[in-house]
Amino acid sequence: TGFVFLNSPNQLEYRLVTNILSSLGESFELNSEEDIDRITAISGSGPACLFEFTCALECAAKEIGLPEKLAYKFALQTITGASKLLANSDLHPEELRDQVTSPNGTTLAALESLENNNLRKIVQDAVEAFRPFFPLLRIQGVAGLRDGSGRLQYFIARRFHGSGHCGILTCCHCLTAGMREAASCSGC
């Protein structure tokens, strides 16, 4: 979860926001509203891209003769296992890739095919395709809660327009000002 403070928080406000957002997973304080758009392009669309890659791996497995059920299972387990390894490693993905690539082996041949077909450019183009949607992501809902002093703290939770996402805060801002100021904020 990425978040931006529109006003400088005090220690209590900072802890409150980071504790709430960290309960959803890792949270990162960002520098600007534009950074929220950028991480949404990666985190919001990234899962679908990974699912599509899994489908492509499954289709390739079927094309080389694996039965449909096995093709799906092996594609799924490959993505799951590699994701777990990546999540639990301190190594960069390129280092992990190099560790599982034998010189002149089958993995190297597959990686050369991906490079020759410009996989990184394809992914960059997919992320860039998200850019025109940044303004549409500014659809927001407001919820409030009281801190220990009884003062209302407002959080603006941005949702994906039309995605049907359920209640997970994708990006958040803490407004320590009142609702009147929040409603007139040009960043909202």
Side-chain angles (χ1 to χ4, degrees), residues 23 42 50 57 90 92 94 117 121 127 140 145 155 167 172:
S23 71
I42 301 302
L50 184 62
L57 203 54
D90 292 329
H92 188 273
E94 287 181 345
N117 287 292
K121 174 75 168 109
V127 170
Q140 303 167 344
L145 66 104
F155 299 89
C172 294

Side-chain angles (χ1 to χ4, degrees), residues 5-26:
F5 286 99
L6 297 180
N7 297 305
S8 296
N10 62 37
Q11 264 188 329
L12 175 65
E13 294 164 339
Y14 185 86
R15 276 197 321 268
L16 177 68
V17 170
T18 56
N19 286 344
I20 289 170
L21 296 179
S22 293
S23 71
L24 301 171
E26 285 191 72

Side-chain angles (χ1 to χ4, degrees), residues 41 45 49 121-134:
S45 296
C49 294
K121 174 75 168 109
I122 291 168
V123 172
Q124 180 64 41
D125 290 348
V127 170
E128 287 293 333
F130 196 83
R131 190 180 295 270
F133 294 92
F134 287 173

